[in-house]
Amino acid sequence: MAAPHGTLLIDARSAGARLPRELALVASLAVDQSFELIVVDDTQDPRVTGIARRHGARHLRLPGAPLGQRLATAIPKTSGSVLVFPVLGSLSSTRSLLQLAQRVSVGEVDAVILPGSTPGLFARLLGRRKPTSIAGICLTRHWYERLGGCDPDLDREALTDLVARLRLCGARLELAAPHQRGS
């Protein structure tokens, strides 16, 4: 069997109760072997094993640790050439994920940032801008390894730090537009 094109890591702690919905959205990618699905889990919740198995994902149990450490531990145990590690709600369709991963795979861009929630209506009406939060990232394994991976001491800031280091190294980054993330 050929190595999967990509690796999709879903963090059980970040996904929480949405884990089954997040996995249901991307389960077809494991069936056609485009991606290997990995559930990174430090919750010690026994239900996560069954949820992962039902959706064709490999369950990777880890001791409690910050997000950066969980990703740094999990990624060397995967084989995809394109890595996607979303946090809760950053993916809304497999078609858009495949398109983003293809662009990264062929070298069109080095990484695509999956933005978090957009400002609410009230904030937009007032013209308030807040910095774009990072909900996930799609990048080549080469860039991930070149940067030395995620900072194991960082939790919520792990992806922001990784993106900052990508920028400092001159990586070609792109922010996924809402239409690229969904539908």
Side-chain angles (χ1 to χ4, degrees), residues 15 25 38 59-60 76 91 93 95 110 114 151 154 171 178-179:
L25 177 67
I38 310 291
H59 182 214
L60 185 58
L91 295 175
S93 85
R95 185 176 57 109
D110 296 320
L114 304 170
D151 185 329
L154 298 178
H179 70 277

Side-chain angles (χ1 to χ4, degrees), residues 3-23:
H5 169 29
T7 296
L8 176 66
L9 293 109
I10 297 181
D11 182 51
R13 187 189 328 164
S14 299
R18 287 196 49 168
L19 181 63
R21 282 180 275 164
E22 297 277 321
L23 284 170

Side-chain angles (χ1 to χ4, degrees), residues 118-176:
T118 57
L121 176 62
F122 188 67
R124 288 191 313 259
L125 288 173
L126 292 175
R128 293 187 181 153
R129 299 267 242 197
K130 67 176 188 176
T132 303
S133 63
I134 298 171
I137 189 165
C138 176
L139 77 161
T140 62
R141 180 177 294 275
H142 166 77
W143 270 103
Y144 180 83
E145 291 172 351
R146 181 176 177 184
L147 294 173
C150 290
D151 185 329
D153 295 329
L154 298 178
D155 195 33
R156 292 178 185 216
E157 310 83 23
L159 296 180
T160 304
D161 175 72
L162 185 64
V163 168
R165 289 185 287 133
L166 281 163
R167 282 189 176 114
L168 287 172
C169 290
R172 294 168 297 145
L173 298 175
E174 185 175 291
L175 183 64

Side-chain angles (χ1 to χ4, degrees), residues 68-83:
Q69 179 63 48
R70 295 191 306 270
L71 292 171
T73 301
I75 289 173
K77 298 175 182 180
T78 67
S79 59
S81 60
V82 174
L83 304 171

